[in-house]
Amino acid sequence: QVQLVESGGGLVQAGGSLRLSCASSGRTFSTYAMGWFRQAPGKEREFVAAISRSGESTYYADSVKGRFTISRDNAENTVYLQMNSLKPEDTAVYYCAGRRVYSSSSTYYRSEYDYNYWGQGTQVTVSS
């Protein structure tokens, strides 16, 4: 069983930056593909970014491409989401998710239904 705990959320002005972290309790973190999702009030949860278990492959939603960067440190059992040039529409609860991958080290997933483990979420609020 893997437990994921997000941190790093907060209130920031438009144009500012935040770095989210997601720490895993498991000893097999390097076998998990990871993703970040977000859910704004009254909206469905949406994909933000994904990274393969090795970190060699990443994928971003069009809305964050060029502004957000997903990365991971397998030695620290942590995945990160660096968010720059934040906009008010980035305001949401951000969730990290994980799924164990037994095959390709370059596989990543974009659908929330592909993930088995979820964190509790961290609030990001961007003021205009």
Side-chain angles (χ1 to χ4, degrees), residues 36-48 61 63 89-95 110-113 118:
W36 284 97
F37 292 78
R38 67 187 182 186
Q39 186 167 21
K43 295 188 177 181
E44 294 185 351
R45 187 158 56 186
E46 65 173 359
F47 168 79
V48 175
S63 59
E89 50 264 44
D90 294 319
T91 295
V93 177
Y94 283 71
Y95 300 89
R110 291 174 282 175
S111 170
E112 62 178 298
Y113 300 106
W118 292 84

Side-chain angles (χ1 to χ4, degrees), residues 63-97:
S63 59
V64 307
K65 200 173 296 182
R67 301 188 297 122
F68 291 11
T69 302
I70 187 171
S71 62
R72 66 190 298 160
D73 185 337
N74 286 344
E76 295 295 327
N77 290 352
T78 303
V79 62
Y80 304 97
L81 186 68
Q82 178 67 44
M83 305 186 295
N84 298 330
S85 302
L86 282 161
K87 305 174 181 179
E89 50 264 44
D90 294 319
T91 295
V93 177
Y94 283 71
Y95 300 89
C96 72

Side-chain angles (χ1 to χ4, degrees), residues 22-39:
C22 173
S24 168
S25 63
R27 294 181 292 176
T28 56
F29 179 73
S30 63
T31 65
Y32 283 79
M34 301 297 295
W36 284 97
F37 292 78
R38 67 187 182 186
Q39 186 167 21

